[in-house]
Amino acid sequence: MPTAENTRARVSELHGIREQAEAGPSAGATEAQHAKGKLTARERIALLLDEGSFHEVEPLRRHRATGFGLENKKPYTDGVITGWGTVFGRPVFVYAHDFRIFGGALGEAHAQKIHKIMDMALAAGAPLVSLNDGAGARIQEGVTALAGYGGIFVRNTRASGVIPQISVMLGPCAGGAAYSPALTDFVFMVRDTAQMFITGPDVVQAVTGEKVSQNGLGGADVHAEVSGVAHFAYDDEETCLEEVRYLLSLLPANNREMPPKAVADDPADRRCEALLDLVPSDGSRAYDMREVLAEVVDDGEYMEVHERWAPNVIVALARMDGQCVGIVANQPQASAGVLDIHASEKAARFVQMCDAFNIPLLTFLDVPGFLPGVDQEHGGIIRHGAKLLYAYCNATVPRVQLILRKAYGGAYIVMDSRSVGTDLSYAWPTNEIAVMGAEGAANVIFRRQIAEADDPEVMRQRMVKEYKAELMHPYYAAERGLVDDVIDPAATREVLIRSLRMLRTKHAELPQRKHGNQPQ
Protein backbone atom coordinates (compact mmCIF):
# COMPACT_ATOMS: atom_id res chain seq x y z
CA MET A 1 0.00 0.00 0.00
CA PRO A 2 1.27 3.53 -0.73
CA THR A 3 2.48 5.44 2.27
CA ALA A 4 1.39 8.95 3.15
CA GLU A 5 4.86 10.17 2.21
CA ASN A 6 4.55 8.62 -1.25
CA THR A 7 1.09 10.12 -1.73
CA ARG A 8 2.33 13.55 -0.72
CA ALA A 9 5.25 13.19 -3.10
CA ARG A 10 2.89 12.25 -5.91
CA VAL A 11 0.62 15.20 -5.16
CA SER A 12 3.63 17.49 -5.13
CA GLU A 13 4.68 16.06 -8.47
CA LEU A 14 1.14 16.63 -9.83
CA HIS A 15 1.20 20.27 -8.78
CA GLY A 16 4.56 20.71 -10.48
CA ILE A 17 3.25 19.20 -13.73
CA ARG A 18 0.15 21.41 -13.60
CA GLU A 19 2.25 24.51 -13.06
CA GLN A 20 4.36 23.51 -16.04
CA ALA A 21 1.26 23.01 -18.20
CA GLU A 22 -0.23 26.34 -17.13
CA ALA A 23 3.00 28.26 -17.61
CA GLY A 24 3.42 27.15 -21.19
CA PRO A 25 6.62 26.39 -23.07
CA SER A 26 8.79 29.26 -21.80
CA ALA A 27 8.86 32.85 -20.65
CA GLY A 28 10.47 33.75 -23.96
CA ALA A 29 7.53 32.30 -25.91
CA THR A 30 5.13 34.35 -23.81
CA GLU A 31 7.17 37.51 -24.38
CA ALA A 32 7.16 36.82 -28.13
CA GLN A 33 3.37 36.47 -28.07
CA HIS A 34 2.99 39.76 -26.19
CA ALA A 35 5.45 41.46 -28.55
CA LYS A 36 3.04 40.75 -31.40
CA GLY A 37 0.31 42.57 -29.51
CA LYS A 38 -1.41 39.30 -28.64
CA LEU A 39 -2.46 37.79 -25.32
CA THR A 40 -1.79 34.20 -24.39
CA ALA A 41 -4.55 31.61 -24.60
CA ARG A 42 -5.05 31.58 -20.83
CA GLU A 43 -5.14 35.36 -20.63
CA ARG A 44 -7.86 35.36 -23.29
CA ILE A 45 -9.92 32.76 -21.45
CA ALA A 46 -9.61 34.81 -18.26
CA LEU A 47 -11.06 37.83 -20.08
CA LEU A 48 -13.89 35.83 -21.64
CA LEU A 49 -15.11 33.92 -18.59
CA ASP A 50 -16.22 35.02 -15.15
CA GLU A 51 -13.32 35.24 -12.73
CA GLY A 52 -12.35 31.89 -11.24
CA SER A 53 -14.97 29.94 -13.18
CA PHE A 54 -12.75 28.13 -15.70
CA HIS A 55 -12.46 24.36 -15.38
CA GLU A 56 -9.89 22.90 -17.75
CA VAL A 57 -10.29 19.56 -19.52
CA GLU A 58 -7.29 17.42 -20.48
CA PRO A 59 -4.56 19.90 -19.47
CA LEU A 60 -2.01 17.06 -19.39
CA ARG A 61 -2.75 15.74 -22.87
CA ARG A 62 0.36 15.21 -25.08
CA HIS A 63 0.73 14.05 -28.65
CA ARG A 64 2.01 10.57 -29.58
CA ALA A 65 3.46 11.47 -32.98
CA THR A 66 6.99 10.60 -34.00
CA GLY A 67 9.32 11.74 -36.74
CA PHE A 68 10.68 15.16 -37.70
CA GLY A 69 11.76 15.63 -34.08
CA LEU A 70 8.26 15.52 -32.63
CA GLU A 71 9.17 12.65 -30.29
CA ASN A 72 11.53 15.02 -28.51
CA LYS A 73 8.99 17.81 -28.14
CA LYS A 74 5.85 16.78 -26.29
CA PRO A 75 4.46 19.78 -24.39
CA TYR A 76 1.41 19.51 -22.15
CA THR A 77 -1.96 20.70 -23.63
CA ASP A 78 -0.58 20.02 -27.16
CA GLY A 79 -1.23 23.63 -28.11
CA VAL A 80 -4.92 23.97 -27.26
CA ILE A 81 -6.64 24.74 -23.96
CA THR A 82 -10.14 23.37 -23.52
CA GLY A 83 -12.75 23.56 -20.78
CA TRP A 84 -15.81 25.33 -19.50
CA GLY A 85 -16.72 28.24 -17.26
CA THR A 86 -19.43 30.85 -16.94
CA VAL A 87 -20.28 34.18 -18.56
CA PHE A 88 -22.56 36.27 -16.34
CA GLY A 89 -23.15 33.09 -14.37
CA ARG A 90 -24.27 30.97 -17.35
CA PRO A 91 -22.25 27.94 -18.57
CA VAL A 92 -20.06 28.40 -21.66
CA PHE A 93 -17.59 25.96 -23.24
CA VAL A 94 -14.38 27.23 -24.78
CA TYR A 95 -11.26 26.15 -26.59
CA ALA A 96 -8.28 28.39 -27.25
CA HIS A 97 -5.28 27.75 -29.49
CA ASP A 98 -1.95 28.38 -27.79
CA PHE A 99 0.26 29.90 -30.48
CA ARG A 100 3.32 29.41 -28.25
CA ILE A 101 3.11 25.65 -28.81
CA PHE A 102 3.63 24.49 -32.40
CA GLY A 103 2.22 27.82 -33.54
CA GLY A 104 -1.20 26.62 -32.43
CA ALA A 105 -1.14 24.10 -35.28
CA LEU A 106 -3.64 21.27 -35.15
CA GLY A 107 -2.43 17.71 -34.67
CA GLU A 108 -4.22 14.48 -33.74
CA ALA A 109 -4.25 14.98 -29.95
CA HIS A 110 -5.00 18.69 -30.38
CA ALA A 111 -8.00 17.85 -32.57
CA GLN A 112 -9.28 15.17 -30.20
CA LYS A 113 -9.33 17.69 -27.36
CA ILE A 114 -11.41 20.06 -29.47
CA HIS A 115 -13.75 17.24 -30.54
CA LYS A 116 -14.30 16.33 -26.91
CA ILE A 117 -15.15 19.84 -25.74
CA MET A 118 -17.49 20.33 -28.72
CA ASP A 119 -19.28 17.09 -27.84
CA MET A 120 -19.55 18.21 -24.23
CA ALA A 121 -21.00 21.59 -25.22
CA LEU A 122 -23.62 19.94 -27.41
CA ALA A 123 -24.52 17.38 -24.74
CA ALA A 124 -24.77 20.07 -22.04
CA GLY A 125 -26.73 22.43 -24.29
CA ALA A 126 -24.40 25.37 -23.73
CA PRO A 127 -22.69 27.88 -26.09
CA LEU A 128 -19.27 27.13 -27.56
CA VAL A 129 -16.64 29.82 -28.08
CA SER A 130 -13.44 29.16 -30.03
CA LEU A 131 -10.47 31.48 -29.57
CA ASN A 132 -8.56 30.97 -32.81
CA ASP A 133 -4.84 31.67 -33.14
CA GLY A 134 -3.30 28.80 -35.06
CA ALA A 135 -1.14 28.09 -38.08
CA GLY A 136 -3.40 25.45 -39.60
CA ALA A 137 -2.70 21.72 -39.80
CA ARG A 138 0.46 20.37 -38.17
CA ILE A 139 2.47 19.42 -41.25
CA GLN A 140 4.63 16.91 -39.39
CA GLU A 141 1.55 14.79 -38.62
CA GLY A 142 0.36 14.74 -42.23
CA VAL A 143 -3.11 13.54 -43.15
CA THR A 144 -3.93 12.70 -39.52
CA ALA A 145 -4.03 16.41 -38.81
CA LEU A 146 -6.30 17.04 -41.79
CA ALA A 147 -8.70 14.37 -40.53
CA GLY A 148 -8.89 16.29 -37.27
CA TYR A 149 -10.35 19.25 -39.11
CA GLY A 150 -12.99 17.02 -40.64
CA GLY A 151 -14.13 16.02 -37.16
CA ILE A 152 -14.44 19.69 -36.19
CA PHE A 153 -16.49 20.52 -39.29
CA VAL A 154 -18.91 17.66 -38.65
CA ARG A 155 -19.45 18.82 -35.08
CA ASN A 156 -19.89 22.46 -36.16
CA THR A 157 -22.62 21.31 -38.52
CA ARG A 158 -24.38 19.09 -35.99
CA ALA A 159 -24.37 21.88 -33.42
CA SER A 160 -25.65 24.46 -35.91
CA GLY A 161 -28.98 25.83 -34.74
CA VAL A 162 -28.74 23.77 -31.53
CA ILE A 163 -26.23 25.76 -29.47
CA PRO A 164 -24.73 29.20 -30.23
CA GLN A 165 -21.26 28.88 -31.77
CA ILE A 166 -18.96 31.90 -31.73
CA SER A 167 -15.54 32.09 -33.40
CA VAL A 168 -13.07 34.73 -32.22
CA MET A 169 -10.19 35.30 -34.61
CA LEU A 170 -7.12 36.48 -32.70
CA GLY A 171 -4.32 35.37 -35.02
CA PRO A 172 -3.77 33.68 -38.39
CA CYS A 173 -6.30 31.18 -39.70
CA ALA A 174 -5.36 29.67 -43.05
CA GLY A 175 -6.46 26.87 -45.33
CA GLY A 176 -9.09 24.42 -44.19
CA ALA A 177 -8.99 25.92 -40.69
CA ALA A 178 -10.97 28.90 -42.01
CA TYR A 179 -14.01 26.73 -42.65
CA SER A 180 -14.80 26.02 -39.01
CA PRO A 181 -15.40 29.73 -38.22
CA ALA A 182 -17.45 30.00 -41.43
CA LEU A 183 -19.73 27.26 -40.11
CA THR A 184 -20.40 29.05 -36.82
CA ASP A 185 -23.04 31.64 -35.99
CA PHE A 186 -20.80 34.66 -35.36
CA VAL A 187 -17.21 35.57 -36.27
CA PHE A 188 -15.26 38.23 -34.33
CA MET A 189 -11.90 39.54 -35.58
CA VAL A 190 -9.17 41.75 -34.14
CA ARG A 191 -7.51 44.21 -36.53
CA ASP A 192 -3.86 43.78 -37.53
CA THR A 193 -3.33 40.51 -35.64
CA ALA A 194 -6.07 38.29 -37.12
CA GLN A 195 -6.31 37.03 -40.70
CA MET A 196 -8.41 34.44 -42.49
CA PHE A 197 -7.79 33.07 -45.98
CA ILE A 198 -7.84 29.78 -47.86
CA THR A 199 -4.57 30.43 -49.68
CA GLY A 200 -1.95 32.85 -48.34
CA PRO A 201 -0.35 35.83 -50.08
CA ASP A 202 2.61 33.79 -51.36
CA VAL A 203 0.37 31.25 -53.09
CA VAL A 204 -1.84 33.98 -54.51
CA GLN A 205 1.18 35.75 -55.99
CA ALA A 206 2.61 32.52 -57.40
CA VAL A 207 -0.67 31.53 -59.07
CA THR A 208 -2.16 34.87 -60.14
CA GLY A 209 0.74 37.30 -59.96
CA GLU A 210 -1.18 39.51 -57.51
CA LYS A 211 0.92 40.90 -54.67
CA VAL A 212 -1.01 41.44 -51.45
CA SER A 213 -0.29 41.57 -47.71
CA GLN A 214 -1.85 39.21 -45.19
CA ASN A 215 -4.18 41.91 -43.90
CA GLY A 216 -4.96 43.07 -47.42
CA LEU A 217 -5.94 39.53 -48.34
CA GLY A 218 -7.79 38.41 -45.23
CA GLY A 219 -7.59 40.98 -42.44
CA ALA A 220 -10.42 42.06 -40.17
CA ASP A 221 -11.45 45.09 -42.23
CA VAL A 222 -11.50 43.07 -45.46
CA HIS A 223 -13.81 40.47 -43.96
CA ALA A 224 -15.97 43.02 -42.14
CA GLU A 225 -16.49 45.25 -45.20
CA VAL A 226 -15.86 43.27 -48.38
CA SER A 227 -16.38 39.54 -47.94
CA GLY A 228 -18.87 39.57 -45.09
CA VAL A 229 -17.05 36.68 -43.39
CA ALA A 230 -16.60 38.65 -40.14
CA HIS A 231 -19.62 39.93 -38.25
CA PHE A 232 -17.59 42.13 -35.90
CA ALA A 233 -14.13 43.77 -36.01
CA TYR A 234 -12.34 45.45 -33.11
CA ASP A 235 -9.04 47.21 -32.47
CA ASP A 236 -7.93 45.14 -29.47
CA GLU A 237 -8.53 41.78 -27.83
CA GLU A 238 -9.92 43.20 -24.60
CA THR A 239 -12.74 45.06 -26.34
CA CYS A 240 -13.40 42.12 -28.63
CA LEU A 241 -13.79 39.62 -25.80
CA GLU A 242 -15.95 42.01 -23.79
CA GLU A 243 -18.30 42.25 -26.78
CA VAL A 244 -18.38 38.44 -27.04
CA ARG A 245 -19.54 38.39 -23.42
CA TYR A 246 -22.26 40.92 -24.24
CA LEU A 247 -23.45 38.87 -27.21
CA LEU A 248 -23.64 35.75 -25.03
CA SER A 249 -25.81 37.67 -22.56
CA LEU A 250 -28.39 38.14 -25.33
CA LEU A 251 -28.46 34.56 -26.61
CA PRO A 252 -30.15 31.49 -25.12
CA ALA A 253 -28.01 28.55 -24.03
CA ASN A 254 -29.56 26.37 -26.72
CA ASN A 255 -32.51 26.03 -29.09
CA ARG A 256 -34.76 24.58 -26.37
CA GLU A 257 -34.57 27.70 -24.22
CA MET A 258 -35.73 31.27 -24.57
CA PRO A 259 -33.17 34.10 -24.51
CA PRO A 260 -32.44 35.38 -20.99
CA LYS A 261 -34.65 38.24 -19.81
CA ALA A 262 -33.10 41.35 -18.32
CA VAL A 263 -34.59 43.83 -15.89
CA ALA A 264 -36.20 46.59 -17.96
CA ASP A 265 -35.96 50.08 -16.49
CA ASP A 266 -37.14 51.69 -19.73
CA PRO A 267 -40.97 52.04 -19.51
CA ALA A 268 -42.82 49.86 -22.01
CA ASP A 269 -45.32 52.67 -22.68
CA ARG A 270 -42.67 55.34 -23.25
CA ARG A 271 -43.74 57.58 -26.12
CA CYS A 272 -41.19 58.25 -28.85
CA GLU A 273 -42.07 61.79 -29.87
CA ALA A 274 -38.71 62.20 -31.62
CA LEU A 275 -39.86 59.76 -34.30
CA LEU A 276 -42.29 62.37 -35.62
CA ASP A 277 -39.32 64.47 -36.74
CA LEU A 278 -36.63 61.83 -37.41
CA VAL A 279 -38.26 60.37 -40.52
CA PRO A 280 -39.04 62.82 -43.36
CA SER A 281 -42.44 62.29 -44.96
CA ASP A 282 -40.83 62.88 -48.36
CA GLY A 283 -39.85 59.38 -49.50
CA SER A 284 -36.91 60.69 -51.52
CA ARG A 285 -35.14 62.14 -48.48
CA ALA A 286 -32.63 60.00 -46.58
CA TYR A 287 -32.36 59.52 -42.83
CA ASP A 288 -30.49 57.20 -40.47
CA MET A 289 -32.59 54.19 -39.50
CA ARG A 290 -30.23 53.64 -36.55
CA GLU A 291 -31.71 56.71 -34.89
CA VAL A 292 -35.17 55.20 -35.23
CA LEU A 293 -34.06 51.94 -33.66
CA ALA A 294 -32.35 53.77 -30.79
CA GLU A 295 -35.62 55.55 -30.01
CA VAL A 296 -37.63 52.34 -29.90
CA VAL A 297 -35.45 49.72 -28.12
CA ASP A 298 -34.68 49.56 -24.40
CA ASP A 299 -32.33 52.34 -23.31
CA GLY A 300 -31.37 53.02 -26.93
CA GLU A 301 -28.96 50.05 -26.90
CA TYR A 302 -28.57 47.48 -29.64
CA MET A 303 -25.80 45.27 -31.02
CA GLU A 304 -25.51 45.67 -34.77
CA VAL A 305 -24.32 42.59 -36.64
CA HIS A 306 -22.35 42.93 -39.91
CA GLU A 307 -22.39 46.69 -39.44
CA ARG A 308 -19.99 47.48 -42.29
CA TRP A 309 -21.03 44.85 -44.83
CA ALA A 310 -24.12 45.48 -46.99
CA PRO A 311 -24.95 48.66 -45.04
CA ASN A 312 -28.23 49.17 -46.94
CA VAL A 313 -29.84 46.75 -44.50
CA ILE A 314 -29.38 46.73 -40.72
CA VAL A 315 -29.53 43.58 -38.63
CA ALA A 316 -29.21 43.87 -34.87
CA LEU A 317 -29.96 42.32 -31.52
CA ALA A 318 -31.61 44.46 -28.88
CA ARG A 319 -34.01 44.28 -25.96
CA MET A 320 -37.65 45.31 -25.83
CA ASP A 321 -39.27 45.16 -22.41
CA GLY A 322 -36.16 43.28 -21.27
CA GLN A 323 -36.64 40.53 -23.87
CA CYS A 324 -34.13 39.93 -26.67
CA VAL A 325 -35.39 40.70 -30.17
CA GLY A 326 -33.83 40.49 -33.61
CA ILE A 327 -34.21 43.52 -35.85
CA VAL A 328 -34.06 43.66 -39.64
CA ALA A 329 -34.35 47.17 -41.08
CA ASN A 330 -33.76 48.93 -44.37
CA GLN A 331 -31.22 51.76 -44.15
CA PRO A 332 -32.32 54.70 -46.37
CA GLN A 333 -28.97 56.37 -45.69
CA ALA A 334 -27.17 53.69 -47.77
CA SER A 335 -28.27 53.17 -51.39
CA ALA A 336 -31.76 54.36 -50.38
CA GLY A 337 -32.22 51.10 -48.46
CA VAL A 338 -32.63 48.91 -51.54
CA LEU A 339 -32.28 45.17 -51.33
CA ASP A 340 -29.37 43.75 -53.32
CA ILE A 341 -27.43 40.48 -53.34
CA HIS A 342 -25.35 41.13 -50.22
CA ALA A 343 -28.19 42.73 -48.23
CA SER A 344 -30.45 39.76 -48.98
CA GLU A 345 -27.80 37.28 -47.84
CA LYS A 346 -27.02 39.28 -44.72
CA ALA A 347 -30.65 39.55 -43.65
CA ALA A 348 -31.48 35.94 -44.55
CA ARG A 349 -28.78 34.43 -42.37
CA PHE A 350 -29.71 36.70 -39.48
CA VAL A 351 -33.37 35.71 -39.74
CA GLN A 352 -32.36 32.03 -39.72
CA MET A 353 -30.18 32.54 -36.65
CA CYS A 354 -32.97 34.30 -34.75
CA ASP A 355 -35.47 31.62 -35.69
CA ALA A 356 -33.10 28.86 -34.59
CA PHE A 357 -32.64 30.40 -31.14
CA ASN A 358 -36.20 31.54 -30.39
CA ILE A 359 -35.52 35.25 -30.85
CA PRO A 360 -38.61 37.24 -32.01
CA LEU A 361 -38.20 39.26 -35.20
CA LEU A 362 -39.04 42.92 -35.80
CA THR A 363 -38.83 44.13 -39.40
CA PHE A 364 -38.68 47.88 -40.14
CA LEU A 365 -39.52 48.69 -43.76
CA ASP A 366 -38.54 51.63 -45.90
CA VAL A 367 -37.56 49.91 -49.14
CA PRO A 368 -37.84 51.18 -52.74
CA GLY A 369 -37.37 47.68 -54.17
CA PHE A 370 -34.60 45.40 -55.35
CA LEU A 371 -31.55 47.01 -56.93
CA PRO A 372 -31.83 46.89 -60.73
CA GLY A 373 -28.82 46.28 -62.96
CA VAL A 374 -27.02 43.78 -65.15
CA ASP A 375 -24.48 42.99 -62.43
CA GLN A 376 -27.22 42.17 -59.95
CA GLU A 377 -29.16 39.98 -62.37
CA HIS A 378 -26.06 38.14 -63.56
CA GLY A 379 -24.88 37.81 -59.97
CA GLY A 380 -28.05 35.93 -59.11
CA ILE A 381 -30.23 38.47 -57.31
CA ILE A 382 -33.16 36.12 -57.92
CA ARG A 383 -31.71 33.24 -55.94
CA HIS A 384 -30.08 35.50 -53.34
CA GLY A 385 -33.31 37.42 -52.78
CA ALA A 386 -35.06 34.06 -52.51
CA LYS A 387 -32.80 33.24 -49.54
CA LEU A 388 -34.39 36.06 -47.56
CA LEU A 389 -37.86 35.07 -48.70
CA TYR A 390 -37.20 31.45 -47.69
CA ALA A 391 -35.82 32.48 -44.29
CA TYR A 392 -38.89 34.52 -43.39
CA CYS A 393 -41.36 31.95 -44.74
CA ASN A 394 -39.61 29.24 -42.73
CA ALA A 395 -39.44 31.20 -39.45
CA THR A 396 -41.77 30.16 -36.64
CA VAL A 397 -40.78 32.75 -34.02
CA PRO A 398 -43.02 35.76 -33.31
CA ARG A 399 -42.75 38.19 -36.24
CA VAL A 400 -43.90 41.82 -36.39
CA GLN A 401 -43.57 44.11 -39.40
CA LEU A 402 -43.56 47.93 -39.29
CA ILE A 403 -43.79 50.01 -42.48
CA LEU A 404 -42.40 53.51 -42.01
CA ARG A 405 -42.52 54.90 -45.57
CA LYS A 406 -41.90 53.14 -48.88
CA ALA A 407 -42.68 49.47 -49.36
CA TYR A 408 -42.53 48.77 -53.07
CA GLY A 409 -42.76 45.67 -55.21
CA GLY A 410 -41.18 42.33 -54.45
CA ALA A 411 -39.02 43.87 -51.73
CA TYR A 412 -42.18 44.63 -49.73
CA ILE A 413 -43.31 41.02 -50.04
CA VAL A 414 -39.87 39.62 -49.11
CA MET A 415 -39.47 41.84 -46.04
CA ASP A 416 -41.88 39.76 -43.93
CA SER A 417 -45.20 40.95 -45.29
CA ARG A 418 -48.53 39.54 -44.17
CA SER A 419 -48.65 37.35 -47.26
CA VAL A 420 -45.49 35.45 -46.21
CA GLY A 421 -46.59 34.96 -42.63
CA THR A 422 -45.75 37.88 -40.36
CA ASP A 423 -47.99 37.73 -37.31
CA LEU A 424 -48.76 41.44 -37.16
CA SER A 425 -48.16 44.27 -39.58
CA TYR A 426 -48.27 47.94 -38.63
CA ALA A 427 -47.73 51.09 -40.67
CA TRP A 428 -47.11 54.73 -40.00
CA PRO A 429 -49.37 57.33 -41.66
CA THR A 430 -46.44 58.09 -43.99
CA ASN A 431 -46.52 54.59 -45.54
CA GLU A 432 -46.67 53.99 -49.27
CA ILE A 433 -47.30 50.34 -50.16
CA ALA A 434 -47.44 49.71 -53.89
CA VAL A 435 -46.11 47.69 -56.78
CA MET A 436 -43.81 50.58 -57.61
CA GLY A 437 -43.43 54.30 -57.06
CA ALA A 438 -46.15 56.58 -58.38
CA GLU A 439 -43.89 58.13 -61.03
CA GLY A 440 -42.98 54.79 -62.59
CA ALA A 441 -46.50 53.42 -62.27
CA ALA A 442 -48.06 56.43 -64.00
CA ASN A 443 -45.57 56.18 -66.86
CA VAL A 444 -46.61 52.57 -67.43
CA ILE A 445 -50.37 52.74 -66.87
CA PHE A 446 -51.01 56.09 -68.56
CA ARG A 447 -48.37 55.91 -71.25
CA ARG A 448 -50.81 56.56 -74.10
CA GLN A 449 -52.65 59.43 -72.40
CA ILE A 450 -49.38 61.15 -71.57
CA ALA A 451 -48.01 60.72 -75.10
CA GLU A 452 -51.19 62.07 -76.71
CA ALA A 453 -51.64 65.04 -74.37
CA ASP A 454 -51.04 68.59 -75.55
CA ASP A 455 -48.73 69.04 -72.56
CA PRO A 456 -47.32 65.59 -71.67
CA GLU A 457 -45.60 66.79 -68.50
CA VAL A 458 -48.77 68.36 -67.09
CA MET A 459 -50.68 65.19 -67.93
CA ARG A 460 -48.01 63.02 -66.36
CA GLN A 461 -48.11 64.96 -63.09
CA ARG A 462 -51.90 64.73 -63.11
CA MET A 463 -51.76 60.96 -63.56
CA VAL A 464 -49.15 60.59 -60.82
CA LYS A 465 -51.42 62.49 -58.46
CA GLU A 466 -54.38 60.34 -59.48
CA TYR A 467 -52.44 57.11 -58.95
CA LYS A 468 -51.32 58.22 -55.49
CA ALA A 469 -54.85 59.18 -54.50
CA GLU A 470 -56.31 55.88 -55.67
CA LEU A 471 -53.69 53.27 -54.72
CA MET A 472 -51.02 54.80 -52.52
CA HIS A 473 -52.86 56.56 -49.72
CA PRO A 474 -51.79 55.51 -46.21
CA TYR A 475 -54.94 53.48 -45.49
CA TYR A 476 -55.21 51.52 -48.73
CA ALA A 477 -53.47 48.41 -47.33
CA ALA A 478 -55.25 48.71 -43.95
CA GLU A 479 -58.65 48.83 -45.66
CA ARG A 480 -57.81 45.52 -47.35
CA GLY A 481 -56.46 43.80 -44.24
CA LEU A 482 -52.86 43.74 -45.43
CA VAL A 483 -51.86 45.98 -42.52
CA ASP A 484 -53.33 45.37 -39.06
CA ASP A 485 -53.29 49.00 -38.03
CA VAL A 486 -51.96 52.43 -38.92
CA ILE A 487 -50.30 53.79 -35.78
CA ASP A 488 -48.99 57.02 -34.35
CA PRO A 489 -45.19 56.88 -34.77
CA ALA A 490 -44.77 58.12 -31.22
CA ALA A 491 -46.62 55.02 -29.97
CA THR A 492 -44.35 52.62 -31.87
CA ARG A 493 -42.49 51.27 -28.84
CA GLU A 494 -45.66 50.62 -26.86
CA VAL A 495 -47.43 48.94 -29.79
CA LEU A 496 -44.47 46.68 -30.58
CA ILE A 497 -43.97 45.63 -26.95
CA ARG A 498 -47.67 44.84 -26.49
CA SER A 499 -47.59 42.77 -29.66
CA LEU A 500 -44.48 40.85 -28.57
CA ARG A 501 -46.01 40.16 -25.15
CA MET A 502 -49.07 38.66 -26.82
CA LEU A 503 -46.96 36.57 -29.20
CA ARG A 504 -44.60 35.26 -26.52
CA THR A 505 -46.48 31.95 -26.31
CA LYS A 506 -46.80 31.54 -30.08
CA HIS A 507 -46.45 27.95 -31.24
CA ALA A 508 -46.07 27.03 -34.88
CA GLU A 509 -44.93 23.83 -36.52
CA LEU A 510 -43.48 23.19 -39.96
CA PRO A 511 -44.35 20.11 -42.02
CA GLN A 512 -42.39 17.03 -41.04
CA ARG A 513 -39.30 16.73 -43.22
CA LYS A 514 -35.62 15.99 -43.06
CA HIS A 515 -34.82 19.58 -44.06
CA GLY A 516 -35.82 22.09 -46.69
CA ASN A 517 -33.86 22.70 -49.88
CA GLN A 518 -33.24 26.40 -49.47
CA PRO A 519 -31.96 28.58 -52.32
CA GLN A 520 -28.20 28.71 -52.73
Side-chain angles (χ1 to χ4, degrees), residues 36-315:
K36 297 173 185 174
K38 301 196 295 184
L39 301 175
T40 66
R42 294 186 186 279
E43 289 170 341
R44 290 162 174 167
I45 290 173
L47 286 174
L48 173 68
L49 301 177
D50 297 338
E51 185 176 357
S53 70
F54 183 55
H55 184 97
E56 190 170 354
V57 175
E58 295 192 354
L60 307 184
R61 187 70 178 265
R62 302 163 90 177
H63 72 76
R64 297 175 293 178
T66 59
F68 306 101
L70 285 179
E71 63 274 13
N72 300 318
K73 190 177 182 182
K74 302 175 69 174
Y76 293 112
T77 75
D78 199 46
V80 64
I81 299 168
T82 59
W84 75 86
T86 60
V87 172
F88 298 115
R90 301 166 66 220
V92 172
F93 288 77
V94 60
Y95 69 85
H97 299 133
D98 191 340
F99 195 83
R100 300 172 301 168
I101 298 175
F102 299 127
L106 182 138
E108 181 184 24
H110 183 119
Q112 288 174 349
K113 288 183 65 174
I114 294 175
H115 296 169
K116 180 172 183 175
I117 210 67
M118 294 178 79
D119 291 340
M120 291 177 69
L122 189 58
L128 174 71
V129 179
S130 64
L131 305 180
N132 298 272
D133 185 7
R138 197 173 298 170
I139 299 172
Q140 299 95 320
E141 294 194 32
V143 71
T144 307
L146 292 178
Y149 277 124
I152 293 173
F153 302 157
V154 167
R155 288 166 173 82
N156 284 138
T157 304
R158 288 177 180 168
S160 181
V162 181
I163 57 172
Q165 298 180 85
I166 299 174
S167 298
V168 188
M169 315 311 296
L170 302 162
C173 184
Y179 282 117
S180 176
L183 290 168
T184 60
D185 300 302
F186 298 97
V187 176
F188 288 72
M189 292 189 75
V190 174
R191 292 186 180 91
D192 297 328
T193 57
Q195 301 89 29
M196 295 174 68
F197 36 70
I198 299 301
T199 55
D202 293 341
V203 176
V204 169
Q205 185 174 4
V207 174
T208 70
E210 299 171 283
K211 190 172 184 179
V212 63
S213 67
Q214 286 197 344
N215 281 321
L217 181 63
D221 289 326
V222 168
H223 287 310
E225 295 179 17
V226 182
S227 72
V229 170
H231 299 80
F232 307 95
Y234 298 98
D235 290 330
D236 58 81
E237 295 189 17
E238 291 83 358
T239 303
C240 180
L241 292 169
E242 184 59 37
E243 289 299 296
V244 174
R245 286 174 57 86
Y246 179 59
L247 175 59
L248 286 166
S249 76
L250 295 169
L251 300 175
N254 55 65
N255 65 342
R256 299 182 301 278
E257 297 184 6
M258 298 299 292
K261 189 178 189 302
V263 176
D265 297 323
D266 197 347
D269 59 354
R270 170 174 57 81
R271 285 183 63 81
C272 307
E273 299 291 344
L275 294 179
L276 297 171
D277 301 313
L278 275 177
V279 181
S281 58
D282 181 357
S284 63
R285 291 179 58 192
Y287 63 94
D288 190 349
M289 181 66 81
R290 292 186 181 92
E291 295 182 6
V292 174
L293 302 183
E295 280 294 318
V296 173
V297 302
D298 288 359
D299 304 310
E301 295 180 0
Y302 58 90
M303 188 174 196
E304 187 170 351
V305 181
H306 265 148
E307 179 180 356
R308 294 158 62 196
W309 183 60
N312 39 321
V313 69
I314 295 171
V315 297

Side-chain angles (χ1 to χ4, degrees), residues 307-364:
E307 179 180 356
R308 294 158 62 196
W309 183 60
N312 39 321
V313 69
I314 295 171
V315 297
L317 293 169
R319 292 192 183 278
M320 296 280 282
D321 196 29
Q323 299 281 1
C324 182
V325 296
I327 295 172
V328 180
N330 305 111
Q331 172 58 297
Q333 201 174 56
S335 303
V338 297
L339 286 179
D340 58 12
I341 288 172
H342 290 331
S344 299
E345 287 186 317
K346 171 179 172 177
R349 194 160 193 274
F350 182 78
V351 168
Q352 289 177 166
M353 185 279 299
C354 289
D355 187 51
F357 294 115
N358 307 311
I359 300 172
L361 285 161
L362 298 178
T363 304
F364 290 69

